[in-house]
Amino acid sequence: MFLSGTRADYGKIKSLIQAVEAADDFETFIYVSGMHLLEQYGSTYEEIINDGYKNIYVAYGYRNIGDMSYDLGTAICNLTGYVEKIKPDMIVVHGDRIDALAGALVGVLKNIMVAHIEGGELSGTVDESIRHTISKLAHVHFVCNKEAKNRLAQMGEQQERIHILGSPDIDIMKSDRLPSLEKCKKKYNIGFDDYAIFMYHPVTTEFEQIPIQIKSVVDALIESGNNYVIIYPNNDSGTDYILHELKRFNTGKVRKRVRIFPSIRFEYFLTLLKNASFMIGNSSAGVRETCVYGIPSIDIGSRQQGRYSLEIVRNIQHIEPVKEDILSAIRQVDNYRKATSYYGDGKSTERFMSILRGGLWNLPLQKKFIDIDF
């Protein structure tokens, strides 16, 4: 059973879901909840339905309100009923969101094997604590690189439970299945040729600073004079401040230079990213996806802190949410068109299926903590 609670995690695990769905020796179930169900953010559960999987359950009765502790409890209650009904052999979760944590907790407490995609990574908010919690609950880890594997080993995880997979969305990024730029622009009514992509999410641990920070960012983008494709933030606490500031793009002459969307279908987003002049904000896409295509990225603030090394990932400028610094970084983007394969090589799906067909199922559910020598 794959669990998806956001547009972002679906894009990350989509290639894996499709591979398992196509296999004769597995039966696939998809549990869809969380942010997918919110109309304000594009009702992205429809994207999963339209992809035509056999067994999809949309948790229509579950409403994600943006209060993380409340949403976690609601997600656990709703998911428990579904898991009891289908009795999966494995629950696959991704990343560091509340829905993934709910999936890991339900799996552990129901004696179901939990597989965690992209554990062992760092970030600058409460998301990092959630990610590491999921890792300690999970029985199997599919990580992006050796550094992530080493962190899980440092957390006491057994080596035989950790598999270096690479980031699964790179499989789609490097495939020939992406729509053309012309098709993307027509679908989303984007009338300009040169554009940058802007995505900015709340940093929940800096809640009181969000209004000041996002105002400085929007001030800079408006003053820059560039065209922007803007995608809504996630619905963490503080998102209303960001949505309020985004309304400033719909006034005066600025309106002609922007297109704002609650969400963009994953493959279409990749095509737009591949052809963008740069990406700016604090989304993980500005770290993970931009480097694959060598698109310059401006990472603002602390949200992705520790997620990358500027010595390895050479397409990123890191700055604080200060208008002058943002404008300076925009002027320098052409110096940062450098691609890297640090997060994967596009063969994650192949490795995933091979591991599923191996000795994975012989692992005991009771884990053992492995001490390391310091």
Side-chain angles (χ1 to χ4, degrees), residues 80-106:
T80 296
Y82 181 67
V83 167
E84 288 177 344
K85 179 180 178 180
I86 68 168
K87 296 179 171 57
D89 298 295
M90 174 184 284
I91 297 176
V92 182
V93 299
H94 170 273
D96 56 16
R97 306 300 295 169
I98 286 298
D99 302 275
L101 178 56
L105 282 165
V106 170

Side-chain angles (χ1 to χ4, degrees), residues 43-289:
S43 299
T44 51
Y45 70 90
E46 295 176 348
E47 177 180 339
I48 302 178
I49 292 174
N50 291 337
D51 281 337
Y53 304 106
K54 295 177 184 177
N55 301 306
I56 303 174
Y57 178 85
V58 180
Y60 292 110
Y62 167 43
R63 285 293 178 265
N64 189 310
I65 66 170
D67 182 313
M68 297 175 77
S69 59
Y70 183 92
D71 290 338
L72 175 61
T74 306
I76 291 172
C77 291
N78 280 272
L79 180 60
T80 296
Y82 181 67
V83 167
E84 288 177 344
K85 179 180 178 180
I86 68 168
K87 296 179 171 57
D89 298 295
M90 174 184 284
I91 297 176
V92 182
V93 299
H94 170 273
D96 56 16
R97 306 300 295 169
I98 286 298
D99 302 275
L101 178 56
L105 282 165
V106 170
V108 167
L109 297 177
K110 291 288 184 182
N111 287 322
I112 299 168
M113 184 175 288
V114 175
H116 187 201
I117 309 292
E118 295 190 351
E121 300 191 12
L122 306 178
S123 56
T125 71
V126 68
D127 294 349
E128 179 172 321
S129 296
I130 296 174
R131 188 186 300 265
H132 295 335
T133 300
I134 296 170
S135 290
K136 289 307 300 179
L137 292 167
H139 306 97
V140 185
H141 310 281
F142 295 102
V143 302
C144 282
N145 51 34
K146 185 178 179 181
E147 287 77 7
K149 180 178 181 178
N150 290 342
R151 291 191 191 103
L152 290 180
Q154 186 177 344
M155 292 166 63
E157 295 299 290
Q158 297 166 274
Q159 292 284 347
E160 59 266 32
R161 295 181 183 271
I162 311 171
H163 304 273
I164 297 178
L165 198 67
S167 188
D169 62 329
I170 296 178
D171 295 20
I172 299 177
M173 295 182 71
K174 292 191 172 184
S175 74
D176 58 2
R177 293 178 287 165
L178 301 183
S180 67
L181 179 60
E182 291 72 22
K183 185 175 181 179
C184 290
K185 292 173 67 176
K186 182 177 180 180
K187 179 178 177 66
Y188 290 101
N189 192 25
I190 298 171
F192 35 73
D193 293 325
D194 297 322
Y195 60 89
I197 295 176
F198 174 55
M199 295 178 68
Y200 194 89
H201 302 295
V203 180
T204 56
T205 51
E206 299 175 4
F207 181 82
E208 294 181 355
Q209 287 77 47
I210 293 174
I212 299 172
Q213 293 172 348
I214 185 59
K215 183 181 185 304
S216 295
V217 174
V218 172
D219 284 348
L221 298 190
I222 291 174
E223 188 172 322
S224 73
N226 290 300
N227 302 319
Y228 291 97
V229 172
I230 301 172
I231 303 171
Y232 272 17
N234 62 36
N235 67 325
D236 286 346
S237 182
T239 192
D240 288 343
Y241 292 128
I242 297 174
L243 293 176
H244 176 75
E245 285 294 315
L246 293 185
K247 293 179 181 178
R248 293 170 55 199
F249 287 107
N250 286 324
T251 60
K253 295 181 180 179
V254 180
R255 182 181 307 179
K256 297 180 180 180
R257 296 194 280 107
V258 301
R259 293 286 290 131
I260 303 177
F261 304 98
S263 182
I264 292 179
R265 187 174 174 86
F266 185 60
E267 288 85 352
Y268 286 80
F269 169 75
L270 292 178
T271 294
L272 289 171
L273 177 63
K274 190 175 184 179
N275 291 277
S277 56
F278 63 93
M279 184 168 180
I280 185 169
N282 64 2
S283 168
S284 62
V287 176
R288 307 298 290 269
E289 280 78 12

Side-chain angles (χ1 to χ4, degrees), residues 293-341:
Y293 291 140
I295 299 300
S297 177
I298 301 172
D299 174 42
I300 301 174
S302 64
R303 189 169 186 266
Q304 301 300 327
Q305 184 177 7
R307 201 80 187 270
Y308 57 90
S309 166
L310 293 176
E311 295 180 358
I312 298 174
V313 182
R314 307 297 294 276
N315 68 308
I316 299 176
Q317 298 179 75
H318 177 264
I319 57 172
E320 295 304 313
V322 177
K323 186 178 79 169
E324 292 75 16
D325 294 348
I326 295 170
L327 289 170
S328 175
I330 290 174
R331 289 191 290 269
Q332 299 179 61
V333 291
D334 286 336
N335 298 326
Y336 291 85
R337 299 190 183 280
K338 301 172 184 178
T340 179
S341 58

